[in-house]
Amino acid sequence: MFDITLVQVFDFVGTLAFAISGIRLASAKKFDLFGAYVVGVTTAIGGGTMRDMMLGVSPFWMTNMFYLICSAIALLWVIVFRKLLVRQDNTWFLFDTIGLALFTVTGIEKTITTIGPSGEHFPFWTAIIMGTITGAGGGVLRDVFINEVPLIFRKEIYALACVIGGIAYYICHHLGLDSTLSAIICGITVVLMRLLAVKYKLHLPIIKGEE
Amino acid sequence: MFDITLVQVFDFVGTLAFAISGIRLASAKKFDLFGAYVVGVTTAIGGGTMRDMMLGVSPFWMTNMFYLICSAIALLWVIVFRKLLVRQDNTWFLFDTIGLALFTVTGIEKTITTIGPSGEHFPFWTAIIMGTITGAGGGVLRDVFINEVPLIFRKEIYALACVIGGIAYYICHHLGLDSTLSAIICGITVVLMRLLAVKYKLHLPIIKGEE
Amino acid sequence: MFDITLVQVFDFVGTLAFAISGIRLASAKKFDLFGAYVVGVTTAIGGGTMRDMMLGVSPFWMTNMFYLICSAIALLWVIVFRKLLVRQDNTWFLFDTIGLALFTVTGIEKTITTIGPSGEHFPFWTAIIMGTITGAGGGVLRDVFINEVPLIFRKEIYALACVIGGIAYYICHHLGLDSTLSAIICGITVVLMRLLAVKYKLHLPIIKGEE
């Protein structure tokens, strides 16, 4: 009971943080309210939608209004508290990180329990990729919509935290830990990687061009 | 019989207008004939393709050549009548609006009659979103392909007309009207919203940024 | 036996060349290693992923690690040989062309042998489109990710080579040739079209705008 509630709280604050990141970037580009909402929703649910379409199941938000309502709350929040958002940056960073961890776990677990359209099971490395897409894919779609080069391809260790969390899940799974414990260790790994990357300003090297 | 013919006429002029809007923007960006055709097709069928992929059915155009032929006619039209296009603007605006209304209705009706890959039915609010994606999604893909910020996120009441039309459909449905009448009222609502928005230059407010 | 091996060699060098084209463009945009890898993978598998999602089957790479490994080799290659890449341009052009031909054939054959989610078969013209998307779609996604107007819409005869190869396949099929011979003729047509287009600098005309 407590578990379910905690996951729901994480889902709520994570969705909120993802949507707010999209809405803030949309506001910097002078989007109207509708456009800002669409970018916010896309940031929040875009990764999971890509995952579900590749897995051959209906996108998760199509039968559950929760995510659209969260995104509407995010829009209201940005409108009402816009002058306070910068001061709230640490909180939103934390919520965004919680969301990233939860969405990674969700993506992994959905992939290993889903049976594909032709009856196939997916290998664990596909689950890690799907966890990463669930966590980081919405941000890529957000950046495509605001016509910028995706941030996670250039500047930050973000998707890599999902990949490493996914590998942690796999190791736990391989060692015979149960799925709840594996999920918790995976989530904590994602959060730690992200916090360490930001605290120590860790970046991946830029790939060098030919000239 | 007359009904079917009228819907087909609307489908034809709507597809034509959508494709022409894509081809004109492609021509402004110096696309070649192939690129212009792809952008035209994408504008015309992109929204319905996203809808069908999320619903778990084959994209509608894959078994019906009609839409690709319409887009080819649109390409020819732009080549032959390019100097007259500006003078035809009111006509194309009207046809585009008819297409928007028809595609919204089509998207709603397909969603409420489709059973998802796991046997699920979709709620009516999902149908309204799918109607909006069917009507407005192709224009978003068009703008991604020509590397511009999607127009409907910044400037015009376009997708919102689909949403309001969808709500009108839901109210009719709720009041017990039959689906033909609900569809007609939905379509007229979309057309009226769009005409009023353009006539009175109605815009949604721009979302304010934090600085 | 020999056939299978040759197809696998073509698949390897084609995937490598596609991934390298994405990684090189990512490096010109100062992507980090993760971003460069994602762009490389997307260029290599993006077209086939779009095809499979439209056909209603699991994307081909989700159950076969080969394509992700090829893309990792491509990333290593660019890092190690970056100063030699320009000198290798003719080789990569050839490998890219082989990949284009093979992916076109693969897309066509998968489409005509796949049964859609509602039990439908797809017509041959849809197979030609799917062959073209398999060959050229990854490059479009690549250009969206690096925030450029897709190259194949403006400058080169690339996707058109797939279309013409697809028509060649259809003619062979119609004449009663078996599928191996049809596939070979299709592939050779794609290669020839591409080589002729580059050798004689053939372009499609730019579509003229209205002003």
Side-chain angles (χ1 to χ4, degrees), chain B residues 23-24 26-36 38-39 49 53 56-59 61-66 68 75 78-79 82-83 85-86 89 144-147, chain C residues 50 53-55 111 116-118 120-123 125-126 129-130 132-133 140 144 147-150 152-156 159-160 163 204-211:
Chain B
I23 294 164
R24 288 174 79 172
S27 80
K29 292 261 177 171
K30 314 267 177 231
F31 280 35
D32 65 20
L33 288 181
F34 175 82
V38 172
V39 175
T49 302
M53 288 170 77
V57 300
S58 292
W61 53 268
M62 287 173 70
T63 46
N64 183 350
M65 219 189 218
F66 175 75
L68 301 189
L75 183 63
V78 172
I79 293 169
R82 69 185 177 85
K83 290 187 178 169
L85 282 172
V86 173
D89 264 347
V144 168
F145 277 179
I146 61 167
N147 202 22
Chain C
M50 284 197 274
M53 289 169 77
M54 290 195 220
L55 291 178
T111 304
S118 315
E120 70 274 35
H121 291 266
F122 300 106
W125 58 265
T126 302
I129 295 171
M130 290 293 136
T132 306
I133 290 175
V140 173
V144 168
N147 203 22
E148 295 282 348
V149 171
I152 65 159
F153 292 165
R154 287 177 305 144
K155 288 217 169 142
E156 293 194 6
L160 195 63
V163 175
L204 281 175
I206 302 296
I207 184 161
K208 279 193 188 135
E210 45 244 48
E211 6 76 288

Side-chain angles (χ1 to χ4, degrees), chain A residues 120 126 147 153 207 209-210, chain C residues 24 31-32 58 62 82 147:
Chain A
E120 69 274 37
T126 302
N147 202 21
F153 292 165
I207 184 162
E210 45 245 49
Chain C
R24 288 173 80 171
F31 279 36
D32 66 21
S58 292
M62 287 174 70
R82 71 185 177 86
N147 203 22

Side-chain angles (χ1 to χ4, degrees), chain B residues 98-151:
Chain B
I98 290 170
L100 189 69
L102 178 65
F103 298 167
T104 304
V105 169
T106 312
I108 290 170
E109 297 194 332
K110 191 159 188 179
T111 306
I112 53 184
T113 57
T114 293
I115 296 165
S118 316
E120 70 274 37
H121 290 266
F122 300 107
F124 209 97
W125 57 265
T126 302
I128 296 176
I129 295 170
M130 290 295 136
T132 306
I133 290 174
T134 311
V140 172
L141 290 181
R142 172 198 69 200
D143 294 343
V144 168
F145 277 179
I146 61 167
N147 202 22
E148 294 283 348
V149 171
L151 187 70

Side-chain angles (χ1 to χ4, degrees), chain A residues 53-55 117 120 122-123 125-126 129-130 140 144 147-150 153-154 159 204-210, chain C residues 23-24 27 30-36 38 53 56 58-59 61-62 64-65 68 75 82 85 144-147:
Chain A
M53 288 169 77
M54 291 196 220
L55 291 178
E120 69 274 37
F122 300 107
W125 58 265
T126 302
I129 295 170
M130 289 295 136
V140 173
V144 168
N147 202 21
E148 295 282 347
V149 171
F153 292 165
R154 287 177 304 144
L204 282 174
I206 302 295
I207 184 162
K208 278 190 188 139
E210 45 245 49
Chain C
I23 294 165
R24 288 173 80 171
S27 78
K30 313 266 177 232
F31 279 36
D32 66 21
L33 289 180
F34 176 82
V38 172
M53 289 169 77
S58 292
W61 53 267
M62 287 174 70
N64 183 350
M65 220 188 215
L68 301 189
L75 183 64
R82 71 185 177 86
L85 282 172
V144 168
F145 277 179
I146 62 169
N147 203 22

Side-chain angles (χ1 to χ4, degrees), chain C residues 6 11 24 36 48 52 64 82 101 109 113 157 162 180-181 184:
Chain C
L6 194 63
D11 205 12
R24 288 173 80 171
D52 287 344
N64 183 350
R82 71 185 177 86
E109 297 193 332
T113 56
I157 289 188
C162 305
T180 307
L181 192 56
I184 291 169

